Structure formats: structure tokens, C-alpha cells
Amino acid sequence: MSKQIVLITGCSRGGIGYAMSDKFLKEGHTVIATSLEIESLESLAEVYDRCERELIDINDEESISATVEKVINKFGRIDILINNAGLPAVGALLDIDLETAQRCVNTNVFGTLKVSRIVGLHMAKRGKGKIVNIGSVTGYASTPWAGIYALSKAAMHSMSDTLRMELKPFGIQVVIVAPGATKSNLATAGAKLVHVPEGNSLYISVSKYIIGRASASHAPGSTSADEFAAYAVKKILEPVSPRYVTFGQSSRLFFVMYYLPVFIRDFILSKTFGVGMVRNQN
């Protein structure tokens, strides 16, 4: 494949976006790595002269437009867009802070759409391009204690399916990449946000399971961000990429659960995440 101009959101060091940036750069492509914390991208820029660092707030259309315009003015095009920026949300649906929930959905769904709209118009004018949205295996099967995050990723998957059909006439491919348990910054951020209200939560008896859910992707056997990036980038660089790329620890299990009878899926997930341990305190 010819050398590509790749724009990636959410590239803070230690995450999937950072690892994917590194992999694209090693393959000889030019990467515009973006983050809200641009200082965390210094090491990429120091190693690769083909790495550009830019600030993007994916919830701010002016911020997106300014960066995209800057990239197009300098390089003439964007070949691949990787929508990786996102937020976690962990907690029982009856407990979770609604502001946290709304930020998660707005960022993961509408933030991704905002970037896709602006870059997609540019790609449509060229008659080619590839938009890659980083979803999650929880988009296949929602788990207890991660309902908001799962619904945001399920919505992203659904949105991507529609984008794929609507953008095909313009030569644009849309790819959904669904990581399994992969070590990244997302788990660290989720662990800081998780909260089980003492005294008025129905789930105080299983608080350890809820808190543990935030860092589940860092459990022993989890896929490293570098390993995930190597697999995902290989698929993305294929001339015609798969519509869905699913990879990482437990990813096959979640993919299969999507097709299982609901009562079986509920049993497996409820047992895994301690729902059966909930004690009725009324």
C-alpha cells in the first residue's frame, strides 16, 4: 500500500491510539497524532519526523475543523481517520453519575460523529478514504456495571454500519474495530471515576465487583496495546478492510455471545460479574 496520511484521535501515551500511531509510523506512514494532552505525544515526535502532534477536542467542532484544515493544507489529504478518542463510564445504571454518563455518550458517539462528518466531507470530494471507529466487544454484549459505556459503543457500532452504507458511493470504507480486554489508559481513567454510593446503593454488597469492572481489561492475560495495534493496523492497511475487526483477550467470547440465546448470555455475564452475589437489603 502507498504511504498514507493517517489522522488518529485519542493518542495519549499508554493507550491504543498511541500504540497505533507508533505502528503506522514504523510502517512508514505519516501520522497526525492528536490528544487533549499534547505533551504526552512528545516521545512519538522525537522518534519519528513523520509524526505531527495536534490538539483536538472531539466535542468541539471548531477545534476539529481547525486541525483538519491545517492537516489538509500541509499534506493535501487525509487517507485514513482513526476515531479512537473516548471516555469510560463504570457503575450500576441506578447509581452512576448522570453527568459522567452523558459525557461518555456525547464523546464516544457524537464526538466520533463530529470528526467523521468533517473528515468524511473531505474524503468524499477526493472519492476515497477510510474511516475507522474504535468500538468495543461490549458493543456486542453489554456487561453489568458498564451499561453506559456499552450502550455508547453499541450506538457507535450502529452509527458506523449506517456510515458504511451512506459513504460507500463516495469510495469511503468504514471499519469498526472492536477490542477485547486490552491494556490502555481507558481502564485507568475508569478506575478514577467509578463510585458506589454508600448507604443508598442497591449494590453495595457487590462493590468489589463494580470497582473491579473498571480495571477488568488489565487482568492477567489481557492483550497489550502494542499487540492489539499490530493486528488492527495490518487489517486497516489492507486495500479492502474487513467491516469489523475484532481482536483481543475475550473478544471471541463476546462475539459468540452476540449470537447466543439471551438467557445463556445473561447467565454467563451475571455469574462473571457477581450479579448473583447482590443481597436484597429491603
Side-chain angles (χ1 to χ4, degrees):
M1 190 179 219
S2 60
K3 299 310 178 186
Q4 304 290 290
I5 306 298
V6 186
L7 174 64
I8 307 178
T9 67
C11 296
S12 296
R13 188 178 180 89
I16 286 174
Y18 186 97
M20 292 181 74
S21 297
D22 185 65
K23 183 60 178 174
F24 275 114
L25 288 162
K26 285 179 178 175
E27 295 286 333
H29 305 283
T30 296
V31 171
I32 299 88
T34 74
S35 174
L36 282 173
E37 300 174 354
I38 201 165
E39 298 82 7
S40 68
L41 306 176
E42 287 181 2
S43 55
L44 280 175
E46 289 171 357
V47 175
Y48 303 102
D49 58 9
R50 284 170 284 96
C51 179
E52 299 283 327
R53 297 179 299 153
E54 295 293 343
L55 176 70
I56 279 188
D57 178 353
I58 69 168
N59 289 307
D60 183 341
E61 291 186 58
E62 290 186 4
S63 171
I64 300 165
S65 294
T67 298
V68 169
E69 183 178 0
K70 184 176 180 180
V71 172
I72 292 171
N73 286 341
K74 181 168 185 176
F75 297 103
R77 68 188 197 276
I78 296 172
D79 297 305
I80 300 173
L81 166 65
I82 311 287
N83 281 309
N84 173 67
L87 290 177
V90 180
L93 288 177
L94 269 62
D95 289 342
I96 195 164
D97 176 71
L98 287 180
E99 288 188 8
T100 297
Q102 288 167 351
R103 282 197 299 270
C104 174
V105 174
N106 285 338
T107 300
N108 297 356
V109 181
F110 296 108
T112 295
L113 180 58
K114 287 174 184 177
V115 182
S116 297
R117 283 161 61 105
I118 292 170
V119 177
L121 285 172
H122 158 71
M123 290 178 171
K125 291 176 182 177
R126 294 184 61 230
K128 64 185 300 186
K130 192 173 291 189
I131 296 175
V132 180
N133 293 331
I134 307 298
S136 169
V137 292
T138 62
Y140 300 142
S142 183
T143 73
W145 326 134
I148 296 296
Y149 180 75
L151 77 83
S152 76
K153 291 302 185 178
M156 180 196 279
H157 288 196
S158 178
M159 178 179 72
S160 301
D161 287 338
T162 299
L163 275 175
R164 184 177 62 250
M165 293 183 281
E166 292 180 348
L167 292 178
K168 184 177 180 180
F170 303 99
I172 302 171
Q173 297 180 50
V174 177
V175 180
I176 301 162
V177 174
T182 303
K183 297 177 182 177
S184 72
N185 292 331
L186 198 68
T188 304
K192 293 178 181 178
L193 291 173
V194 64
H195 175 62
V196 183
E198 293 186 15
N200 60 348
S201 173
L202 297 176
Y203 305 100
I204 195 70
S205 58
V206 291
S207 58
K208 69 175 183 180
Y209 286 96
I210 298 172
I211 294 169
R213 179 66 186 88
S215 56
S217 63
H218 281 197
S222 295
T223 303
S224 70
D226 289 338
E227 183 183 358
F228 173 83
Y231 184 89
V233 168
K234 179 180 178 181
K235 294 295 183 182
I236 292 166
L237 288 174
E238 291 177 359
V240 179
S241 296
R243 293 174 177 85
Y244 277 78
V245 176
T246 305
F247 183 76
Q249 201 265 342
S250 298
S251 59
R252 290 183 180 179
L253 174 61
F254 274 80
F255 186 76
V256 169
M257 281 198 289
Y258 179 79
Y259 296 98
L260 287 176
V262 174
F263 78 94
I264 296 177
R265 187 171 68 215
D266 285 358
F267 173 79
I268 294 171
L269 292 172
S270 294
K271 185 176 180 61
T272 301
F273 293 100
V275 174
M277 303 294 289
V278 174
R279 293 193 298 272
N280 191 332
Q281 301 170 70
N282 296 325

